[in-house]
Amino acid sequence: MNDQPFAVEMRGVNKWFGTFHVLKDIDLQVARGERIVICGPSGSGKSTLVRCINRLEEHQEGDIVVDGIALTNDLKNIDQIRSEVGMVFQSFNLFPHLTVLENCTLAPIWVRKLPKMEADKLAMSLLERVKIPEQAEKYPGQLSGGQQQRVAIARALAMQPRIMLFDEPTSALDPEMIKEVLDVMVDLAESGMTMLCVTHEMGFARQVADRIIFMDEGEIVEQNAPEEFFNNPQNDRTKLFLSQILAH
Amino acid sequence: MDDQTRSASQWAPKESRPPPVSATGIAGWLRANLFSSWLNTGLTLLSLLLIYYSVPPFLDWAILSATFEGASREDCDMAGACWPIVGVRWKQLIYGFYPEVEHWRAVLAFALLLVALYFGLYDKAPGRKYGLWFVCAYPFIAYGLLYGGFGGLEYVESPKWGGLLLTLAMGVTGIAVSIPFGIVLALGRRSDLPAISMLCAVFIEFIRGVPLVTLLFFGNVMLPLFLPEGMNIDNYLRVVIAVCLFASAYMAEVIRGGLQAIPKGQYEAAAALGLGYWRMMAFIILPQALRISIPGIVNTSIGLYKDTTLVSLVGLFDLLGMARAINADAKWMGLEIELYAFIAILFFITCFAMSRYSLWLEQRLARGERR
């Protein structure tokens, strides 16, 4: 499995919501350790693309291979992929009835079968990594948005995933909290994690991305290394998008 | 200006003064709570009038003019309540026709019920880990005690059960069975598998579409006609099954409401972590959904508990049935009100306890989750 060259491979992926064609012939290869930022206007299908990778959305045509495992209707494969792929959501989606620590240990204990002691230790080390170990016994509702999102990152990391998906992780945050979350993500990127981030934080993209993908109308319009992407966009649609988000 | 001179030189906070008299004390309370507006003043006076016309006559009937001693109706002067009927017949109201020498078995079952409730409902009970095993064993212990027929315990067939004993047995069984069944039905109705969701929906809609009395008559009168010759299900069992089915359907809908209130993101986050359906439900979805459903669950439980009085229509002597039987006795005829008042008190105690427990539980579970 580990000699698979790609962390994620999508070939000819198509998806419809009812009659609406959200993903059109997506071909994408993500190398191990590669950091990809996906951007594009709303409704362009970028979230759906990321959500197809761990089967939160089901694609109707084409092949998706994650970490050497083919994503099919086989529940066993889906479970295996989900335990290898961590995900961070725009709205955090922490479990409000569990403490921060319990949020981070539940899946390791019940899916990875880690003994509770070890799971606690792992969770605490991750909470330290996202710089909120002192909040471990609190409930999510008692934390600020930025803290909640950092807990969500720690929770995903607690499964020791090989790939991390971020679906607009800073879009629901107040401006002064965005930085604390991005800092954690930069730290994670520097550790060599394979990452796919849907985000509009272009500073972050410039700093850590190996490749930026621009999507519109369900298609990958353009993809390139950050320098090329920002300084020398090829497609008119990309130019328009960049002029709009970088204008101010 | 005074303020400016103060801020320019040394600033010190103003001395705190006590609030005006009109805002504190009895006068303040009365003004704020009873006479805050013309409408409230009117309502206060109206309430006082209602209390004046209803409470003294009731106290006069229940206590001042009531008769407390006596052996039959003749001893009462009928100016007020005739309480001897309760004093003489209370054992029947509590135990029905359960043989008097075996009453200790019912008392023991009730005492053990309190122990089971303590462990089952109070999450900080010491030794709860073992207590929960006792809770699981309790139904078998209790029914073993009540039915008997082994180890020297005399067999007491269910038609002899009655009064509060029967009411409690049906109520507790109904509530204890209907919550887990309700959860299963609610999950089933929301299942992605059409066969399962359809089956659950049909069951729920059928049961909810039929009055409980109909189910009771069906269980009690018609079911035996369908069973093969010689096969006989216990009378009590038939009725209790009908009650459980009925309550499960209602519970299912209450719990389904709770499930629907859980945001989609919770399912997605659980799925993204690799939790399968059952673990997702057990650890993430149900704990939150059940918490939201507590008021509805308790509401349904109280309703079910009181609905068990309908079994008096199919010949069981629960509290209500027992009262009617006592009233049919020539010696005590015409004293329904005293008996019903006594029964009302018994029902009120149990229902009020349930309602208080639900409030306590809600507050307890809400701790730490306030946003």
Side-chain angles (χ1 to χ4, degrees):
Chain A
M1 269 201 309
N2 288 340
D3 48 323
Q4 265 280 331
F6 297 117
V8 179
E9 188 174 15
M10 300 175 110
R11 281 187 304 260
V13 171
N14 278 282
K15 172 166 179 64
W16 290 261
F17 284 131
T19 55
F20 178 61
H21 200 169
V22 267
L23 293 182
K24 298 173 183 163
D25 301 320
I26 300 291
D27 288 298
L28 174 67
Q29 277 101 30
V30 182
R32 280 181 197 294
E34 196 177 2
R35 277 103 43 168
I36 290 185
V37 163
I38 304 170
C39 59
S42 65
S44 59
K46 51 198 191 312
S47 284
T48 310
L49 176 100
V50 165
R51 288 157 61 87
C52 277
I53 294 173
N54 65 351
R55 230 341 139 87
L56 289 184
E57 302 289 355
E58 193 176 335
H59 63 285
Q60 279 112 12
E61 273 177 20
D63 300 313
I64 300 179
V65 181
V66 182
D67 208 32
I69 308 160
L71 189 54
T72 58
N73 279 325
D74 189 343
L75 283 178
K76 233 173 145 187
N77 283 7
I78 294 175
D79 283 345
Q80 207 178 341
I81 286 173
R82 281 176 175 170
S83 61
E84 299 296 337
V85 177
M87 180 148 191
V88 176
F89 299 85
Q90 178 177 352
S91 50
F92 327 139
N93 294 342
L94 292 177
F95 306 132
H97 62 300
L98 301 177
T99 64
V100 164
L101 187 67
E102 287 165 343
N103 263 280
C104 297
T105 57
L106 183 84
I109 290 173
W110 290 99
V111 180
R112 284 260 187 263
K113 309 284 177 207
L114 229 55
K116 190 179 176 308
M117 290 279 286
E118 267 176 59
D120 281 350
K121 232 169 80 186
L122 173 65
M124 280 314 294
S125 71
L126 289 167
L127 288 175
E128 245 152 71
R129 190 165 164 192
V130 301
K131 305 190 183 65
I132 35 174
E134 72 283 358
Q135 312 284 5
E137 296 306 324
K138 287 199 184 160
Y139 287 90
Q142 297 167 299
L143 306 187
S144 71
Q147 291 172 325
Q148 289 197 40
Q149 193 61 299
R150 286 185 281 153
V151 173
I153 294 173
R155 176 178 72 178
L157 291 176
M159 283 295 283
Q160 298 173 306
R162 302 155 76 89
I163 301 163
M164 283 287 284
L165 309 175
F166 292 84
D167 187 1
E168 304 205 27
T170 55
S171 302
L173 294 175
D174 291 338
E176 69 265 35
M177 293 173 179
I178 291 178
K179 186 177 175 298
E180 62 189 50
V181 172
L182 288 180
D183 284 348
V184 168
M185 289 170 65
V186 170
D187 171 61
L188 191 61
E190 281 163 0
S191 75
M193 173 73 76
T194 309
M195 291 165 72
L196 282 92
C197 310
V198 175
T199 183
H200 293 131
E201 298 298 331
M202 288 304 136
F204 170 78
R206 237 183 241 277
Q207 188 183 350
V208 305
D210 295 313
R211 180 162 37 135
I212 298 181
I213 292 176
F214 174 67
M215 286 183 75
D216 192 24
E217 301 281 331
E219 285 177 68
I220 294 180
V221 177
E222 183 166 350
Q223 45 182 317
N224 221 328
E227 280 310 303
E228 279 295 293
F229 182 83
F230 286 114
N231 301 335
N232 188 18
Q234 303 297 310
N235 193 295
D236 287 345
R237 184 67 190 87
T238 318
K239 286 175 192 164
L240 178 65
F241 179 76
L242 285 176
S243 73
Q244 276 163 348
I245 61 166
L246 298 176
H248 48 85
Chain B
M1 286 283 288
D2 193 34
D3 278 341
Q4 278 173 353
T5 49
R6 252 178 10 153
S7 59
S9 59
Q10 193 102 52
W11 185 84
K14 282 182 180 171
E15 288 284 314
S16 295
R17 284 189 297 127
V21 185
S22 61
T24 56
I26 295 172
W29 185 88
L30 283 176
R31 188 188 297 237
N33 292 296
L34 297 179
F35 301 102
S36 60
S37 67
W38 283 111
L39 179 65
N40 268 355
T41 307
L43 288 174
T44 302
L45 293 178
L46 190 69
S47 308
L48 285 175
L49 209 64
L50 274 175
I51 293 171
Y52 175 74
Y53 277 114
S54 62
V55 172
F58 175 76
L59 288 180
D60 180 55
W61 174 82
I63 298 169
L64 298 177
S65 305
T67 313
F68 290 92
E69 308 271 323
S72 82
R73 191 191 150 85
E74 266 65 59
D75 298 323
C76 298
D77 58 8
M78 288 301 147
C82 182
W83 293 122
I85 186 172
V86 175
V88 171
R89 297 298 197 106
W90 70 271
K91 274 192 181 161
Q92 270 185 342
L93 285 169
I94 302 292
Y95 302 103
F97 306 111
Y98 210 82
E100 188 146 8
V101 288
E102 310 288 345
H103 278 180
W104 64 270
R105 281 155 55 176
V107 173
L108 181 59
F110 180 70
L112 292 177
L113 172 68
L114 295 182
V115 176
L117 288 178
Y118 172 66
F119 284 118
L121 300 181
Y122 183 47
D123 58 349
K124 290 264 166 67
R128 186 163 192 250
K129 225 157 110 193
Y130 309 102
L132 287 179
W133 285 109
F134 174 71
V135 174
C136 295
Y138 177 75
F140 302 99
I141 299 174
Y143 277 110
L145 268 172
L146 291 178
Y147 271 111
F150 61 89
L153 288 179
E154 192 198 329
Y155 176 62
V156 181
E157 65 269 31
S158 61
K160 287 189 180 164
W161 306 6
L164 183 64
L165 161 64
L166 186 66
T167 297
L168 274 179
M170 283 189 298
V172 173
T173 309
I175 293 166
V177 169
S178 65
I179 291 175
F181 268 63
I183 292 173
V184 171
L185 281 171
L187 291 178
R189 190 164 185 179
R190 284 171 60 85
S191 165
D192 292 333
L193 305 170
I196 291 180
S197 78
M198 191 116 100
L199 201 71
C200 292
V202 166
F203 175 85
I204 291 168
E205 295 303 338
F206 173 75
I207 301 273
R208 284 207 307 172
V210 175
L212 177 56
V213 185
T214 317
L215 279 183
L216 291 174
F217 274 116
F218 179 81
N220 206 42
V221 183
M222 288 171 68
L223 197 62
L225 300 178
F226 298 138
L227 291 175
E229 192 87 16
M231 185 170 167
N232 189 21
I233 305 181
D234 190 271
N235 191 25
Y236 166 78
L237 206 59
R238 288 198 300 255
V239 166
V240 115
I241 288 173
V243 168
C244 287
L245 291 180
F246 191 74
S248 301
Y250 278 86
M251 278 307 177
E253 288 298 282
V254 167
I255 293 165
R256 190 168 68 96
L259 288 172
Q260 269 166 350
I262 307 300
K264 202 166 148 243
Q266 294 288 308
Y267 291 88
E268 289 180 350
L273 284 169
L275 292 170
Y277 176 82
W278 292 109
R279 284 182 187 143
M280 180 194 299
M281 288 302 156
F283 299 127
I284 308 298
I285 306 301
L286 278 176
Q288 298 183 61
L290 290 177
R291 204 200 108 197
I292 300 172
S293 315
I294 289 172
I297 290 175
V298 173
N299 195 28
T300 308
S301 299
I302 290 177
L304 150 78
Y305 178 64
K306 293 188 296 186
D307 278 353
T308 58
T309 48
L310 285 171
V311 302
S312 63
L313 293 178
V314 292
L316 265 70
F317 294 100
D318 75 314
L319 269 174
L320 193 67
M322 209 63 234
R324 289 169 16 147
I326 294 171
N327 254 310
D329 179 351
K331 243 169 80 182
W332 295 105
M333 269 220 281
L335 296 175
E336 293 97 343
I337 298 177
E338 285 81 349
L339 285 172
Y340 289 153
F342 179 66
I343 293 172
I345 291 169
L346 289 181
F347 269 107
F348 181 79
I349 291 170
T350 29
C351 293
F352 190 65
M354 282 193 247
S355 149
R356 289 278 106 182
Y357 174 72
S358 108
L359 271 183
W360 176 82
L361 190 65
E362 274 171 63
Q363 279 166 6
R364 191 176 168 80
L365 294 179
R367 200 178 298 165
E369 282 187 48
R370 281 186 213 106
R371 269 148 230 265

